Amino acid sequence: MDLGLANDTALVTASSSGLGRACARALANEGANVVCNGRDRDRLDAAVEALEGTPGTVRGVAADLTDPDAIDALVSETVDTFGGLDHLVTNVAGPSTARALDIDDGTWQATYDLLFMSALRSIRTAAPALTEGGGSIVMMTSRTTREIIEEYALSNVFRLALVGLNKTLAKELAPEVRVNAVAPGPFETGRIGTLVAESVESGRFESREAAYEAWAGDVPLGRPGEPSELGDLVAYLASERASYVTGATVPIDGGVTDAPL
Ligand SMILES: NC(=O)c1ccc[n+]([C@@H]2O[C@H](COP(=O)([O-])OP(=O)(O)OC[C@H]3O[C@@H](n4cnc5c(N)ncnc54)[C@H](OP(=O)(O)O)[C@@H]3O)[C@@H](O)[C@H]2O)c1
């Protein structure tokens, strides 16, 4: 299926590794011009190099998404480089794990800035360019939008805020811009090693094997997801092939989430 993304311009935040990079790859494979982003210049350069050979033109712009000025500069550089912006994918690092009442105020505040404000600020800055020619936004969330996961209090709370933002913006930016979200279950990325280590350190699991089994052992499809599978969904939602889809939060989780809706 031709998604019709060739020569469009996409900005994928936090895309020097993991799910973000898979989104960048899927868009570049469709021939889109893609700006990748991350904080670390070397990791970013490596990601851009890894995407050489795709039909799209890929550039890397370093920016810390917790810094509002850096977000403004990231969006401006994208528009200046490619002459406009058609698609924005908002992604950022995931939060640490803990129970709600064990989390201090500073961590709640910092995670609000990281998960929620980074997405809101990116969208607010990009909205004029997206609205100009018609475009799309896809927000990265998590299966925690549909069911609470023990010890994932920060994700349980702030991912739902993103769903509220998604629904609100789908109305506010229609009909020029479609706004959707994806809700991944377990995917093999570098972050998983960190989460597994955290849950062993906190005493929740006795071994890395037990923690890994709890993370992905009960997926009906029998395996964690490949990041490219998520990238393909994001590219579809970004494209005109999804022209009647807006305000949706689409699960991609191998069937692991129990919630019926
Ligand atoms: N993997 C899963 O199973 C899964 C499931 C559900 C939801 N998610 C969510 O999906 C998102 C991506 O997960 P992932 O597994 O792909 O993570 P990852 O492999 O750790 O990738 C994180 C990416 O974000 C960048 N980044 C981190 N902090 C940043 C900041 N402040 N500003 C700019 N870039 C930043 C990193 O580059 P630098 O470090 O160089 O900045 C890297 O490119 C997370 O929010 C995660 O919670 C993941």
Side-chain angles (χ1 to χ4, degrees):
M1 186 194 289
D2 178 5
L3 296 181
L5 290 166
N7 302 316
D8 280 4
T9 297
L11 167 60
V12 185
T13 64
S15 50
S16 57
S17 68
L19 300 183
R21 188 174 61 185
C23 296
R25 179 181 288 282
L27 291 161
N29 276 339
E30 294 295 324
N33 303 317
V34 179
V35 168
C36 287
N37 152 257
R39 292 164 302 179
D40 183 88
R41 188 73 244 181
D42 291 343
R43 271 198 293 272
L44 191 54
D45 288 345
V48 171
E49 200 181 320
L51 295 177
E52 272 172 17
T54 56
T57 303
V58 182
R59 297 279 179 269
V61 178
D64 185 337
L65 298 166
T66 60
D67 175 354
D69 292 340
I71 291 177
D72 288 351
L74 170 63
V75 173
S76 295
E77 195 168 335
T78 304
V79 172
D80 290 349
T81 303
F82 290 116
L85 180 61
D86 305 293
H87 311 286
L88 172 67
V89 179
T90 66
N91 180 46
V92 75
S96 54
T97 54
R99 292 164 66 84
L101 300 187
D102 294 337
I103 300 166
D104 61 41
D105 286 8
T107 304
W108 278 108
Q109 208 65 55
T111 308
Y112 166 70
D113 261 342
L114 178 75
L115 283 187
F116 183 81
M117 288 307 296
S118 70
L120 175 65
R121 287 176 179 138
S122 302
I123 294 168
R124 188 168 54 205
T125 311
L130 291 170
T131 306
E132 198 175 301
S136 69
I137 297 168
V138 183
M139 302 161 74
M140 186 75 69
T141 67
S142 160
R143 64 185 273 207
T144 53
T145 53
R146 300 172 69 228
E147 66 182 15
I148 298 304
I149 303 183
E150 199 186 340
E151 303 239 357
Y152 279 62
L154 292 161
S155 183
N156 294 335
V157 170
F158 292 124
R159 300 296 190 186
L160 273 176
L162 288 173
V163 172
L165 183 66
N166 177 42
K167 275 296 198 190
T168 303
L169 292 176
K171 286 185 188 277
E172 289 185 4
L173 296 179
E176 290 85 3
V177 181
R178 291 178 303 100
V179 189
N180 291 291
V182 289
F187 278 79
E188 282 285 8
T189 66
R191 171 170 163 73
I192 297 321
T194 310
L195 289 179
V196 163
E198 267 181 23
S199 59
V200 175
E201 266 168 39
S202 74
R204 190 165 165 229
F205 294 102
E206 279 184 5
S207 65
R208 294 177 71 88
E209 291 69 29
Y212 190 90
E213 177 64 19
W215 172 68
D218 58 349
V219 177
L221 290 186
R223 61 175 175 86
E226 292 289 335
S228 64
E229 296 175 303
L230 182 127
D232 288 344
L233 174 62
V234 168
Y236 165 74
L237 288 171
S239 79
E240 273 300 298
R241 292 287 176 173
S243 52
Y244 203 54
V245 184
T246 195
T249 298
V250 182
I252 172 160
D253 60 7
V256 75
T257 309
D258 285 333
L261 288 173

